[in-house]
Amino acid sequence: DKVLKLVNQELNDKLDGTIIIGDMQPDFFHRFPDVSLGLKNVLIRDKRFNEHHRTFLDAKNFSVSVREWPLLRGELIINHIDISNAAVDIYTDSTGYSNRSVFGKSKPKNKESSSTNNYNSQLGRFSFTNVNFKVEDQKAGKRFDFIANKLDGSMSNPDTGWKAAFHMDITAKSMAFNTH
């Protein structure tokens, strides 16, 4: 319980909103030799959730695997993220405000008020299973609804720019344009 509270606090300090983690357990053999952490009932909400009532992420299962040796050097390399049985609801209101701003918290101006964890972070591979993606942009008049039955991918950020590769099994439930 103590570790779960610390992780919740650290993540909430980095978000412009809230994250709620229902349960957390180490999962040493899930992506061995990487260190894995299994999270259950994860909710991510932006600071204006009480106005629009749209949860950015509601995941029943969320697993994160990080490389062990770089972690000891202060470098956070997320080797794999697995999300299953989840819903992602990306919402933009008519003024252009989006719940994606939950990830846009400004960093403290002075070092003394910043966290002691100054990790460099990278993301390698990711998997989504049974994840419903809804995107509603009231300003642009668009609404999309997809289910990622299975989506596997990898990302890298070389000097030449961001690169990604995907293998997907996705069902489009709805694609609406010009909804004004």
Side-chain angles (χ1 to χ4, degrees):
D1 287 340
K2 188 175 182 179
V3 172
L4 180 58
K5 286 180 185 176
L6 288 171
V7 169
N8 267 315
Q9 181 61 47
E10 182 68 25
L11 292 173
N12 275 303
D13 288 346
K14 298 198 180 319
L15 294 176
D16 199 13
T18 59
I19 184 167
I20 300 166
I21 301 170
D23 191 22
M24 174 178 61
Q25 295 184 6
D27 190 359
F28 297 108
F29 300 105
H30 182 67
R31 296 259 177 221
F32 188 79
D34 294 333
V35 176
S36 294
L37 190 61
L39 309 175
K40 301 284 184 197
N41 302 317
V42 176
L43 295 173
I44 297 177
R45 296 177 172 153
D46 68 306
K47 65 183 176 186
R48 291 173 62 185
F49 170 78
N50 289 332
E51 296 172 32
H52 55 70
H53 305 286
R54 306 292 278 271
T55 298
F56 182 84
L57 174 70
D58 181 354
K60 301 301 175 211
N61 303 302
F62 193 116
S63 176
V64 179
S65 299
V66 298
R67 293 190 180 153
E68 181 180 342
W69 292 111
L71 187 62
L72 298 174
R73 294 190 312 262
E75 186 176 8
L76 181 63
I77 298 178
I78 299 171
N79 196 37
H80 204 116
I81 290 179
D82 290 302
I83 299 175
S84 63
N85 303 317
V88 176
D89 188 354
I90 302 171
Y91 171 74
T92 304
D93 70 14
S94 59
T95 67
Y97 174 80
S98 176
N99 65 349
R100 289 175 302 182
S101 69
V102 70
F103 300 109
K105 188 170 188 176
S106 60
K107 298 192 178 22
K109 302 236 187 235
N110 62 29
K111 281 189 170 184
E112 292 163 12
S113 64
S114 68
S115 172
T116 57
N117 294 337
N118 295 318
Y119 290 114
N120 238 349
S121 63
Q122 299 177 30
L123 172 63
R125 301 191 50 76
F126 54 91
S127 300
F128 299 142
T129 305
N130 191 32
V131 178
N132 191 66
F133 289 92
K134 289 184 181 181
V135 179
E136 181 177 356
D137 187 335
Q138 290 181 345
K139 186 173 183 176
K142 297 177 184 177
R143 192 172 33 240
F144 309 125
D145 192 352
F146 297 91
I147 294 180
N149 302 310
K150 185 71 178 160
L151 187 145
D152 294 309
S154 62
M155 294 189 326
S156 64
N157 191 4
D159 294 338
T160 57
W162 188 88
K163 293 185 179 188
F166 301 97
H167 173 74
M168 0 181 205
D169 173 6
I170 294 181
T171 303
K173 292 170 55 178
S174 171
M175 295 180 65
F177 300 90
N178 297 324
T179 60
H180 301 338

